[in-house]
Amino acid sequence: MITSLNTSDIYTIIVRVADVIVRNKDYLTQLDAAIGDGDHGINMDRGFELAVERLKQLDINNSDIGTILMTVANALLEVVGGAAGPLYGMFFMNMATVASGKKEVDLQTLTTMFEQGLRGVQDIGGGTQPGEKTMVDTLYPFVEELKKQAASNSNDIALAFANALKAAENGMIATINMIAKKGRASYLGPRSVGHQDPGATSSYLILKTFYDYIKEKESKG
Amino acid sequence: MITSLNTSDIYTIIVRVADVIVRNKDYLTQLDAAIGDGDHGINMDRGFELAVERLKQLDINNSDIGTILMTVANALLEVVGGAAGPLYGMFFMNMATVASGKKEVDLQTLTTMFEQGLRGVQDIGGGTQPGEKTMVDTLYPFVEELKKQAASNSNDIALAFANALKAAENGMIATINMIAKKGRASYLGPRSVGHQDPGATSSYLILKTFYDYIKEKESKG
Amino acid sequence: MIKKLINTPGEEVREMLEGMALAFPEIIRLDPQWNNVYRAYKKPSYKVALVSGEPAHAGYVGYGMLDAAAAGATFTSPTVPQVLAAIKEVATEAGVLVIIKNYSGDVMNFTSAVKMAQAQGIKVDYVVVNDDVSIAEKEKRRGTTITVLVHKIAGAAAEEGWSLSEVKRVAQKVIDNGRDIGVALTPCSVPAAGKYTFELGPDEIEFGIGIHGEPGVQRIKYIQSKDLAKIMVDKIAEDLGLKKGDEVFLVVQGTGGTPYMEKFVFYRDVRKYVESLGLKVFGSWIGEFMTSLEMQGGRVAILRLDEELKRLLTAPAYTIAVRITGPMTLPVVT
Amino acid sequence: MIKKLINTPGEEVREMLEGMALAFPEIIRLDPQWNNVYRAYKKPSYKVALVSGEPAHAGYVGYGMLDAAAAGATFTSPTVPQVLAAIKEVATEAGVLVIIKNYSGDVMNFTSAVKMAQAQGIKVDYVVVNDDVSIAEKEKRRGTTITVLVHKIAGAAAEEGWSLSEVKRVAQKVIDNGRDIGVALTPCSVPAAGKYTFELGPDEIEFGIGIHGEPGVQRIKYIQSKDLAKIMVDKIAEDLGLKKGDEVFLVVQGTGGTPYMEKFVFYRDVRKYVESLGLKVFGSWIGEFMTSLEMQGGRVAILRLDEELKRLLTAPAYTIAVRITGPMTLPVVT
Ligand SMILES: Nc1ncnc2c1ncn2[C@@H]1O[C@H](COP(=O)(O)OP(=O)(O)O)[C@@H](O)[C@H]1O
Ligand SMILES: Nc1ncnc2c1ncn2[C@@H]1O[C@H](COP(=O)(O)OP(=O)(O)O)[C@@H](O)[C@H]1O
Ligand SMILES: [Mg+2]
Ligand SMILES: [Mg+2]
Ligand SMILES: [Mg+2]
Ligand SMILES: [Mg+2]
């Protein structure tokens, strides 16, 4: 059973996120073309490419999880631009703040990290709520489920993430039938219905990468 | 046997030419799109529409063939523009000069009219010769054959025009395999091969309208 | 792939800015670290500095308009540190006015940068342009063409040495009195994406588009220029509550790939219709001021004028895209 | 049908000119009988009058350039009586110079009109612009972008009161020292035809095009902006025999539907390559000066300069498309 993640775990996860994003670059861009301006995959890829480049220059042994995540946040803020830049920038920055100085985090801390990350997104997004067809529709149920799991006194990170990811996936899928209320898709009004939100999708891919790594680590024992 | 054409014949022929042009407007334009700038049908139609409008204002009983043809020439010069405007303008103007004051023309005079018309085209075209993929490839063999027919002391206009039109048709078809040396198509060099010249085609349509009318008049006796 | 006169996709903004700086070194200066464009010549320390975003705005940097344009990737808002760098570069004692277009991304990045600049002791304020009348809810309206008139009018005020709060007041006045609306006949394509942002049938028009190739608020059947002109002008006139005798300024433009011929035919139709409503046309800009790459289509913007706006609108400016050097004196001949 | 911001096809030239005259009544005047555009304000009687054709040239009528532009139907030379009317309208005692583009139609219509005007006792001469370097035989070369520089330079000379023969001499000097070449990435469509003039594959370019939507001299595979820039500049430099140290003026333009971004990326590449050949760039025009409706593509024109041409090129002009009012004096700040 996995009960904590350390600096090196988080480092590896971010590297894998970058890889997942590059492989889904066209897909995310296509989703954005349907209801936005067709750049979400390109934006995310530009950010995570720089994030990994910066991470590679870090001395991992002398870094904590906060440093890793702050490096990611700064890279995203620096080159992503658009809506996704500040949204994910604040997401990782808030996570970093919680993890500051920590070389290891348990389920409780991870939950707080994601909770604060979500809050960062909601705040900079102008008070974004679930149901507005954004990345919040993925992140919010994920965090809610994680909180539930952590509250039930569980330490099992893999189990908690498995359940939270399911909630996140449902949230992502639910965006298909929503009318967008925030972001560029909201200009389309009812025409936005029938399309999955690109940001909700990239959030899901990021969360899934966390879970896939944890599961892999667990199976390796 | 038809041995002369009068003012009213020429008037009717021009009205029919206008009709033939409007029905072939798209076809001529498409031919021009392939090796020119895609406006030949539009240009010709604009000209003949005005020519007919002007003819309708003429008092035919007090007009001679020269007046009819000069009216056509002026209308074409006035609104066709492009290459076709001055080319056909001079064609009809030179025909008009020969027919000036005449209310009836025989094969000899008709031959001279077309000969001078052709010369007008060649002169303003900058000395255009057959083989350069232009309307001259239709007009030149037509005139040569007409001259031959008239020289053999025939008075039979229908027969002479039948033979001359055949020569004109062959001339038109021969433009397909020519490399353009004059006009817009010449910029394409060898790329102009394989396409029938729009001007050669409109010339053929005009000559064919003359012949069709003559044949019809003959059959009516 | 969609053919474009560019090199490696993703490099196009940088290379465009390089081209502009090569062509107009006397007007703009390119900061290669941030893809920010700054006015090339000195400005007085009493002058409020004006900052805006998007590659297009590089054409409005110079005397009488912007001091800095922060260019993001194609159709992407510039980033927080990039905007912050621009603010810091041009800040004067008089302060900085940041002109933000009301797009989620722009608002987030620019307001974050403004907060950081304020935290660093820089005097900075901002306005948000939301002129796109195609969207019903006012707070959601995008910032489009009127942004350029804000640059022009606030820029002239700043050049005259107005205070930050006064420059902001007149900028907000332009926003309050200006509206824009756009249509697309064809889509456009972001180089790095290599695909069109939407597909349109041969008899369809996207009505109420933004400036980043997004689909419009509505898809309508093709109608002629004069019918479009009427619908578009009506939307604006109604929203602004324009009345007979009001004096207005028109901006009629293509969307990047619109030929001159169509712009002037469309202008004719807009102008005739505007005048038929009893409005007085003080002047017009016709051309390309806020475009969406190769998209074919048109935009109309109308600004209601008063004496203050008229004077500032026609004050001198010297940028790549807008040059107003005062009425030309012709040799007098009798 | 191909969607355009126009009304009834066939009316587009007239309506475009109406739009221009509505927007710029202080610069041009439209003669509705002939679709001719005349300079709106008086010219001195000592001034040679300049006449040219094509709708596009309406943008170049005004102080320091043309006195009349005779606009034919879209992509069609104006007619003989139309050109004659233009010559008669603007003729002065000093005479008229007619600037003809070397297209069969234009040459026939314009030279016929010149002959008729001469027969009517008007002092009139002409030059034929044949700058399109994509065609090998010099006599066949079309007249394209250099025509606009002839308007500019001969126009400045005329404004200074030069004689007809002197204005003609300098016009011919521009022709002798200027070359142009163009490429198309997409075709265009004449409204009345409603069809594209040619079809291009997604990786094809028409190389060596004219300005009326005709196909080019050659069809080539898509290559990047900088590779196109090199080939196009090389063709011109070779034909003009340009040598290191020569001073040149660049005109880099789209073909009507080319977005700003691509024009400036392309300009960057042309400029860098031109400078790599050791040529000195005196100045540039970047934009749309001689276009083919909505076609996407690019043109490069280069004019070799001497002191006379430099002075006339930068002399004042005040037309719809070209405004040169002298270097702007900025407030001096220290
Ligand atoms: N106000 C907001 N709150 C939360 N998420 C938002 C908000 N605005 C946009 N988003 C998210 O950002 C995504 C778009 O990102 P991206 O395409 O990179 O930016 P842009 O819209 O500026 O082009 C949307 O799919 C949505 O999930
Ligand atoms: N110099 C010339 N001599 C004879 N015919 C010519 C010449 N130049 C062009 N043509 C004819 O004109 C036709 C094109 O007419 P049109 O399309 O109306 O004019 P434009 O080429 O100006 O668009 C060509 O197909 C050709 O037959
Ligand atoms: Mg986007
Ligand atoms: Mg033609
Ligand atoms: Mg974007
Ligand atoms: Mg033509």
Side-chain angles (χ1 to χ4, degrees), chain C residues 3-7 12 15 18 22-23 185 201-202 204 222 225-226 261-262 268-269 286 325, chain D residues 3-7 12 15 18 22-23 185 201-202 204 222 225-226 261-262 268-269 271 286 325:
Chain C
K3 287 173 291 180
K4 289 176 181 279
L5 271 180
I6 59 164
N7 298 295
E12 71 276 5
E15 294 185 350
E18 282 178 11
L22 276 167
L185 306 187
E204 290 177 326
Y222 173 78
S225 165
K226 55 175 179 290
M261 176 176 275
E262 296 178 36
R268 164 194 178 270
D269 294 330
I286 303 151
T325 53
Chain D
K3 286 172 291 180
K4 288 175 183 281
L5 271 180
I6 59 164
N7 299 294
E12 71 276 4
E15 294 185 349
E18 282 177 11
L22 276 168
L185 305 188
E204 289 177 327
Y222 173 79
S225 165
K226 55 174 180 288
M261 178 176 273
E262 297 178 36
R268 164 194 180 269
D269 295 329
R271 168 101 187 214
I286 303 151
T325 52

Short mmCIF file of all heavy atoms in Angstrom, two decimals, chain C residues 3-7 12 15 18 22-23 185 201-202 204 222 225-226 261-262 268-269 286 325, chain D residues 3-7 12 15 18 22-23 185 201-202 204 222 225-226 261-262 268-269 271 286 325:
data_model
loop_
_atom_site.label_atom_id
_atom_site.label_comp_id
_atom_site.label_asym_id
_atom_site.label_seq_id
_atom_site.Cartn_x
_atom_site.Cartn_y
_atom_site.Cartn_z
N LYS C 3 -1.23 26.00 -45.96
CA LYS C 3 -0.11 26.79 -46.48
C LYS C 3 -0.13 28.22 -45.96
O LYS C 3 -1.16 28.88 -46.00
CB LYS C 3 -0.21 26.86 -48.02
CG LYS C 3 0.16 25.60 -48.72
CD LYS C 3 -0.12 25.71 -50.21
CE LYS C 3 -1.60 25.76 -50.50
NZ LYS C 3 -1.91 25.87 -51.93
N LYS C 4 1.02 28.67 -45.50
CA LYS C 4 1.16 30.05 -45.06
C LYS C 4 2.55 30.57 -45.42
O LYS C 4 3.48 29.78 -45.52
CB LYS C 4 0.96 30.15 -43.54
CG LYS C 4 -0.46 29.92 -43.09
CD LYS C 4 -0.59 29.94 -41.58
CE LYS C 4 -2.01 29.67 -41.15
NZ LYS C 4 -2.88 30.85 -41.23
N LEU C 5 2.64 31.87 -45.55
CA LEU C 5 3.95 32.49 -45.80
C LEU C 5 4.68 32.63 -44.47
O LEU C 5 4.91 33.74 -43.99
CB LEU C 5 3.76 33.87 -46.41
CG LEU C 5 3.66 33.98 -47.92
CD1 LEU C 5 3.47 35.44 -48.30
CD2 LEU C 5 4.87 33.42 -48.60
N ILE C 6 5.03 31.49 -43.88
CA ILE C 6 5.77 31.53 -42.62
C ILE C 6 6.87 30.48 -42.69
O ILE C 6 7.02 29.80 -43.71
CB ILE C 6 4.87 31.22 -41.40
CG1 ILE C 6 4.23 29.84 -41.55
CG2 ILE C 6 3.80 32.29 -41.24
CD1 ILE C 6 3.66 29.30 -40.26
N ASN C 7 7.62 30.34 -41.61
CA ASN C 7 8.63 29.30 -41.54
C ASN C 7 8.13 28.26 -40.55
O ASN C 7 7.04 27.75 -40.71
CB ASN C 7 9.99 29.91 -41.19
CG ASN C 7 10.41 30.90 -42.28
OD1 ASN C 7 10.65 30.51 -43.41
ND2 ASN C 7 10.45 32.19 -41.95
N GLU C 12 6.00 32.08 -35.64
CA GLU C 12 5.48 33.14 -36.51
C GLU C 12 5.33 34.49 -35.80
O GLU C 12 5.53 35.53 -36.43
CB GLU C 12 4.16 32.71 -37.17
CG GLU C 12 2.95 32.61 -36.24
CD GLU C 12 2.87 31.27 -35.52
OE1 GLU C 12 3.79 30.45 -35.66
OE2 GLU C 12 1.88 31.05 -34.79
N GLU C 15 8.81 36.02 -35.53
CA GLU C 15 9.34 36.44 -36.82
C GLU C 15 8.57 37.63 -37.40
O GLU C 15 9.14 38.48 -38.07
CB GLU C 15 9.37 35.25 -37.79
CG GLU C 15 10.38 34.20 -37.30
CD GLU C 15 10.56 33.04 -38.26
OE1 GLU C 15 9.80 32.91 -39.23
OE2 GLU C 15 11.50 32.23 -38.03
N GLU C 18 9.93 40.57 -35.58
CA GLU C 18 11.25 40.89 -36.14
C GLU C 18 11.11 41.68 -37.43
O GLU C 18 11.83 42.65 -37.67
CB GLU C 18 12.05 39.60 -36.41
CG GLU C 18 12.66 39.01 -35.16
CD GLU C 18 13.41 37.70 -35.44
OE1 GLU C 18 13.63 37.36 -36.62
OE2 GLU C 18 13.76 37.02 -34.47
N LEU C 22 12.46 45.38 -38.04
CA LEU C 22 13.39 45.64 -39.13
C LEU C 22 12.87 46.77 -40.02
O LEU C 22 13.63 47.61 -40.50
CB LEU C 22 13.57 44.40 -40.01
CG LEU C 22 14.58 43.35 -39.54
CD1 LEU C 22 14.41 42.07 -40.34
CD2 LEU C 22 16.01 43.89 -39.72
N ALA C 23 11.56 46.78 -40.23
CA ALA C 23 10.97 47.78 -41.13
C ALA C 23 10.85 49.15 -40.46
O ALA C 23 10.97 50.16 -41.12
CB ALA C 23 9.59 47.30 -41.60
N LEU C 185 -16.88 34.99 -43.12
CA LEU C 185 -17.32 34.21 -44.28
C LEU C 185 -16.48 32.95 -44.41
O LEU C 185 -16.90 31.98 -45.03
CB LEU C 185 -17.18 35.04 -45.57
CG LEU C 185 -17.84 36.42 -45.63
CD1 LEU C 185 -17.74 36.99 -47.04
CD2 LEU C 185 -19.30 36.34 -45.22
N GLY C 201 -20.28 26.17 -44.41
CA GLY C 201 -20.80 25.80 -45.71
C GLY C 201 -20.70 26.96 -46.68
O GLY C 201 -20.47 28.11 -46.27
N PRO C 202 -20.89 26.67 -47.98
CA PRO C 202 -20.73 27.71 -49.00
C PRO C 202 -21.78 28.82 -48.91
O PRO C 202 -21.63 29.85 -49.55
CB PRO C 202 -20.86 26.96 -50.32
CG PRO C 202 -21.52 25.68 -49.99
CD PRO C 202 -21.18 25.36 -48.56
N GLU C 204 -23.00 29.85 -45.73
CA GLU C 204 -23.14 30.15 -44.31
C GLU C 204 -22.19 31.26 -43.86
O GLU C 204 -21.10 31.42 -44.40
CB GLU C 204 -22.85 28.90 -43.48
CG GLU C 204 -23.92 27.82 -43.61
CD GLU C 204 -23.55 26.58 -42.81
OE1 GLU C 204 -22.35 26.25 -42.71
OE2 GLU C 204 -24.48 25.93 -42.29
N TYR C 222 -26.02 33.05 -45.84
CA TYR C 222 -25.35 34.13 -46.54
C TYR C 222 -26.34 35.22 -46.95
O TYR C 222 -27.40 34.91 -47.49
CB TYR C 222 -24.63 33.62 -47.79
CG TYR C 222 -24.07 34.76 -48.63
CD1 TYR C 222 -22.88 35.38 -48.25
CD2 TYR C 222 -24.72 35.23 -49.76
CE1 TYR C 222 -22.37 36.44 -48.98
CE2 TYR C 222 -24.23 36.29 -50.50
CZ TYR C 222 -23.05 36.89 -50.10
OH TYR C 222 -22.55 37.94 -50.83
N SER C 225 -23.91 42.19 -48.68
CA SER C 225 -23.23 43.21 -47.89
C SER C 225 -24.20 44.22 -47.28
O SER C 225 -24.12 44.55 -46.09
CB SER C 225 -22.21 43.92 -48.78
OG SER C 225 -21.77 45.11 -48.21
N LYS C 226 -25.15 44.70 -48.06
CA LYS C 226 -25.99 45.77 -47.51
C LYS C 226 -26.95 45.26 -46.44
O LYS C 226 -27.31 45.98 -45.53
CB LYS C 226 -26.71 46.58 -48.60
CG LYS C 226 -27.55 45.83 -49.57
CD LYS C 226 -28.27 46.88 -50.47
CE LYS C 226 -29.12 46.18 -51.50
NZ LYS C 226 -28.33 45.49 -52.54
N MET C 261 -11.53 45.43 -52.20
CA MET C 261 -12.79 45.67 -52.89
C MET C 261 -13.96 45.47 -51.93
O MET C 261 -14.86 46.30 -51.84
CB MET C 261 -12.89 44.70 -54.05
CG MET C 261 -14.20 44.79 -54.78
SD MET C 261 -14.16 43.70 -56.20
CE MET C 261 -13.36 44.74 -57.41
N GLU C 262 -13.95 44.35 -51.21
CA GLU C 262 -15.06 44.05 -50.31
C GLU C 262 -15.12 45.03 -49.15
O GLU C 262 -16.20 45.41 -48.69
CB GLU C 262 -14.96 42.60 -49.81
CG GLU C 262 -15.09 41.62 -50.96
CD GLU C 262 -14.95 40.17 -50.55
OE1 GLU C 262 -15.40 39.79 -49.45
OE2 GLU C 262 -14.37 39.39 -51.34
N ARG C 268 -19.26 51.30 -47.97
CA ARG C 268 -20.32 52.05 -48.64
C ARG C 268 -21.67 51.71 -48.03
O ARG C 268 -22.48 52.59 -47.71
CB ARG C 268 -20.31 51.67 -50.13
CG ARG C 268 -21.56 52.05 -50.91
CD ARG C 268 -21.53 51.32 -52.25
NE ARG C 268 -22.70 51.58 -53.06
CZ ARG C 268 -23.83 50.88 -53.03
NH1 ARG C 268 -23.94 49.86 -52.19
NH2 ARG C 268 -24.83 51.18 -53.83
N ASP C 269 -21.92 50.42 -47.85
CA ASP C 269 -23.23 50.00 -47.35
C ASP C 269 -23.43 50.41 -45.89
O ASP C 269 -24.51 50.84 -45.50
CB ASP C 269 -23.39 48.48 -47.53
CG ASP C 269 -23.42 48.09 -49.00
OD1 ASP C 269 -23.90 48.90 -49.82
OD2 ASP C 269 -22.95 46.98 -49.35
N ILE C 286 -10.99 52.73 -42.48
CA ILE C 286 -11.36 51.58 -43.29
C ILE C 286 -10.09 50.79 -43.54
O ILE C 286 -9.11 51.35 -43.99
CB ILE C 286 -11.94 52.05 -44.64
CG1 ILE C 286 -13.14 52.97 -44.38
CG2 ILE C 286 -12.37 50.86 -45.50
CD1 ILE C 286 -13.33 53.99 -45.47
N THR C 325 -0.63 62.99 -38.91
CA THR C 325 0.38 64.03 -38.75
C THR C 325 -0.25 65.39 -38.98
O THR C 325 0.43 66.34 -39.32
CB THR C 325 1.54 63.81 -39.74
OG1 THR C 325 0.97 63.68 -41.05
CG2 THR C 325 2.29 62.54 -39.42
N LYS D 3 -18.79 33.14 -51.45
CA LYS D 3 -19.25 34.21 -50.58
C LYS D 3 -18.32 35.42 -50.60
O LYS D 3 -17.12 35.27 -50.46
CB LYS D 3 -19.32 33.71 -49.13
CG LYS D 3 -20.44 32.78 -48.83
CD LYS D 3 -20.29 32.20 -47.42
CE LYS D 3 -19.12 31.24 -47.34
NZ LYS D 3 -18.93 30.66 -46.01
N LYS D 4 -18.90 36.59 -50.75
CA LYS D 4 -18.13 37.82 -50.69
C LYS D 4 -18.96 38.91 -50.02
O LYS D 4 -20.18 38.87 -50.09
CB LYS D 4 -17.74 38.28 -52.11
CG LYS D 4 -16.67 37.41 -52.75
CD LYS D 4 -16.41 37.83 -54.17
CE LYS D 4 -15.39 36.92 -54.83
NZ LYS D 4 -14.02 37.21 -54.46
N LEU D 5 -18.29 39.86 -49.44
CA LEU D 5 -18.97 41.02 -48.86
C LEU D 5 -19.31 42.00 -49.97
O LEU D 5 -18.76 43.10 -50.05
CB LEU D 5 -18.05 41.71 -47.86
CG LEU D 5 -18.08 41.25 -46.42
CD1 LEU D 5 -17.09 42.07 -45.61
CD2 LEU D 5 -19.46 41.35 -45.82
N ILE D 6 -20.21 41.58 -50.87
CA ILE D 6 -20.63 42.47 -51.95
C ILE D 6 -22.13 42.34 -52.10
O ILE D 6 -22.77 41.59 -51.36
CB ILE D 6 -19.94 42.12 -53.29
CG1 ILE D 6 -20.26 40.67 -53.68
CG2 ILE D 6 -18.46 42.34 -53.21
CD1 ILE D 6 -19.97 40.36 -55.13
N ASN D 7 -22.69 43.05 -53.08
CA ASN D 7 -24.11 42.91 -53.37
C ASN D 7 -24.22 42.18 -54.71
O ASN D 7 -23.67 41.11 -54.83
CB ASN D 7 -24.78 44.29 -53.33
CG ASN D 7 -24.63 44.91 -51.93
OD1 ASN D 7 -25.19 44.38 -50.98
ND2 ASN D 7 -23.86 45.97 -51.79
N GLU D 12 -19.67 45.32 -58.28
CA GLU D 12 -18.73 45.49 -57.18
C GLU D 12 -17.72 46.62 -57.40
O GLU D 12 -17.32 47.29 -56.45
CB GLU D 12 -18.02 44.16 -56.86
CG GLU D 12 -17.02 43.67 -57.89
CD GLU D 12 -17.65 42.90 -59.04
OE1 GLU D 12 -18.90 42.80 -59.09
OE2 GLU D 12 -16.90 42.39 -59.89
N GLU D 15 -19.52 49.91 -56.75
CA GLU D 15 -19.84 50.11 -55.34
C GLU D 15 -18.58 50.33 -54.50
O GLU D 15 -18.59 51.07 -53.53
CB GLU D 15 -20.69 48.95 -54.83
CG GLU D 15 -22.06 48.94 -55.52
CD GLU D 15 -23.02 47.88 -55.00
OE1 GLU D 15 -22.60 47.00 -54.23
OE2 GLU D 15 -24.21 47.95 -55.37
N GLU D 18 -17.69 53.89 -55.07
CA GLU D 18 -18.61 54.73 -54.29
C GLU D 18 -18.16 54.79 -52.84
O GLU D 18 -18.17 55.84 -52.21
CB GLU D 18 -20.04 54.19 -54.38
CG GLU D 18 -20.74 54.53 -55.67
CD GLU D 18 -22.15 53.92 -55.77
OE1 GLU D 18 -22.65 53.41 -54.74
OE2 GLU D 18 -22.71 53.96 -56.87
N LEU D 22 -17.09 58.08 -50.88
CA LEU D 22 -17.79 58.47 -49.66
C LEU D 22 -16.80 58.68 -48.52
O LEU D 22 -16.96 59.58 -47.70
CB LEU D 22 -18.77 57.36 -49.24
CG LEU D 22 -20.15 57.37 -49.90
CD1 LEU D 22 -20.88 56.07 -49.60
CD2 LEU D 22 -20.97 58.55 -49.39
N ALA D 23 -15.78 57.84 -48.48
CA ALA D 23 -14.82 57.92 -47.38
C ALA D 23 -13.83 59.05 -47.56
O ALA D 23 -13.39 59.66 -46.59
CB ALA D 23 -14.08 56.60 -47.24
N LEU D 185 -0.66 31.24 -52.94
CA LEU D 185 -0.90 30.03 -52.14
C LEU D 185 -2.34 29.56 -52.34
O LEU D 185 -2.66 28.39 -52.14
CB LEU D 185 -0.67 30.29 -50.65
CG LEU D 185 0.67 30.88 -50.20
CD1 LEU D 185 0.76 30.88 -48.68
CD2 LEU D 185 1.83 30.08 -50.77
N GLY D 201 -3.42 22.36 -55.07
CA GLY D 201 -3.36 21.34 -54.04
C GLY D 201 -2.86 21.92 -52.73
O GLY D 201 -2.31 23.02 -52.70
N PRO D 202 -3.04 21.16 -51.62
CA PRO D 202 -2.66 21.67 -50.31
C PRO D 202 -1.16 21.88 -50.14
O PRO D 202 -0.73 22.50 -49.17
CB PRO D 202 -3.17 20.61 -49.34
CG PRO D 202 -3.38 19.39 -50.15
CD PRO D 202 -3.66 19.83 -51.55
N GLU D 204 0.79 22.97 -52.91
CA GLU D 204 1.26 23.57 -54.16
C GLU D 204 1.22 25.10 -54.11
O GLU D 204 0.39 25.69 -53.43
CB GLU D 204 0.36 23.11 -55.31
CG GLU D 204 0.57 21.66 -55.68
CD GLU D 204 -0.38 21.21 -56.79
OE1 GLU D 204 -1.51 21.73 -56.84
OE2 GLU D 204 0.02 20.37 -57.59
N TYR D 222 5.09 23.44 -52.10
CA TYR D 222 5.13 24.41 -51.01
C TYR D 222 6.52 24.47 -50.38
O TYR D 222 7.13 23.43 -50.10
CB TYR D 222 4.12 24.05 -49.92
CG TYR D 222 4.25 24.93 -48.69
CD1 TYR D 222 3.72 26.22 -48.69
CD2 TYR D 222 4.94 24.50 -47.57
CE1 TYR D 222 3.86 27.05 -47.58
CE2 TYR D 222 5.09 25.32 -46.45
CZ TYR D 222 4.55 26.59 -46.47
OH TYR D 222 4.70 27.41 -45.38
N SER D 225 8.58 30.44 -46.15
CA SER D 225 8.74 31.85 -46.48
C SER D 225 10.19 32.20 -46.84
O SER D 225 10.45 32.88 -47.83
CB SER D 225 8.26 32.68 -45.28
OG SER D 225 8.70 34.00 -45.38
N LYS D 226 11.15 31.72 -46.05
CA LYS D 226 12.51 32.18 -46.30
C LYS D 226 13.08 31.58 -47.59
O LYS D 226 13.91 32.20 -48.25
CB LYS D 226 13.43 31.97 -45.10
CG LYS D 226 13.54 30.62 -44.53
CD LYS D 226 14.64 30.65 -43.41
CE LYS D 226 14.79 29.28 -42.81
NZ LYS D 226 13.65 28.94 -41.96
N MET D 261 0.31 39.05 -40.36
CA MET D 261 1.38 38.24 -39.79
C MET D 261 2.30 37.71 -40.89
O MET D 261 3.51 37.81 -40.81
CB MET D 261 0.75 37.09 -39.03
CG MET D 261 1.75 36.15 -38.45
SD MET D 261 0.89 34.91 -37.49
CE MET D 261 0.76 35.74 -35.92
N GLU D 262 1.69 37.15 -41.94
CA GLU D 262 2.50 36.56 -43.00
C GLU D 262 3.27 37.62 -43.77
O GLU D 262 4.41 37.41 -44.19
CB GLU D 262 1.61 35.73 -43.93
CG GLU D 262 0.99 34.57 -43.19
CD GLU D 262 0.05 33.72 -44.05
OE1 GLU D 262 0.33 33.55 -45.25
OE2 GLU D 262 -0.96 33.24 -43.51
N ARG D 268 10.45 40.08 -43.27
CA ARG D 268 11.66 39.76 -42.51
C ARG D 268 12.60 38.91 -43.35
O ARG D 268 13.80 39.17 -43.45
CB ARG D 268 11.26 39.01 -41.24
CG ARG D 268 12.39 38.28 -40.54
CD ARG D 268 11.77 37.32 -39.52
NE ARG D 268 12.77 36.56 -38.79
CZ ARG D 268 13.22 35.37 -39.17
NH1 ARG D 268 12.79 34.81 -40.28
NH2 ARG D 268 14.11 34.73 -38.43
N ASP D 269 12.04 37.88 -43.98
CA ASP D 269 12.87 36.97 -44.75
C ASP D 269 13.44 37.63 -46.00
O ASP D 269 14.61 37.41 -46.35
CB ASP D 269 12.07 35.71 -45.10
CG ASP D 269 11.70 34.91 -43.86
OD1 ASP D 269 12.47 34.94 -42.87
OD2 ASP D 269 10.63 34.25 -43.85
N ARG D 271 13.94 40.88 -46.44
CA ARG D 271 14.89 41.91 -46.00
C ARG D 271 16.23 41.30 -45.61
O ARG D 271 17.28 41.79 -45.99
CB ARG D 271 14.26 42.65 -44.82
CG ARG D 271 15.20 43.54 -44.07
CD ARG D 271 15.02 44.97 -44.47
NE ARG D 271 16.03 45.82 -43.89
CZ ARG D 271 15.82 47.07 -43.51
NH1 ARG D 271 14.63 47.61 -43.67
NH2 ARG D 271 16.78 47.81 -43.00
N ILE D 286 5.38 47.90 -46.98
CA ILE D 286 4.89 46.58 -46.64
C ILE D 286 3.38 46.67 -46.53
O ILE D 286 2.88 47.53 -45.80
CB ILE D 286 5.48 46.11 -45.29
CG1 ILE D 286 7.01 46.16 -45.37
CG2 ILE D 286 5.01 44.70 -44.93
CD1 ILE D 286 7.65 46.42 -44.03
N THR D 325 3.74 62.78 -45.77
CA THR D 325 3.59 64.20 -45.45
C THR D 325 4.89 64.73 -44.87
O THR D 325 4.90 65.72 -44.17
CB THR D 325 2.45 64.41 -44.45
OG1 THR D 325 2.66 63.53 -43.34
CG2 THR D 325 1.12 64.07 -45.08
#
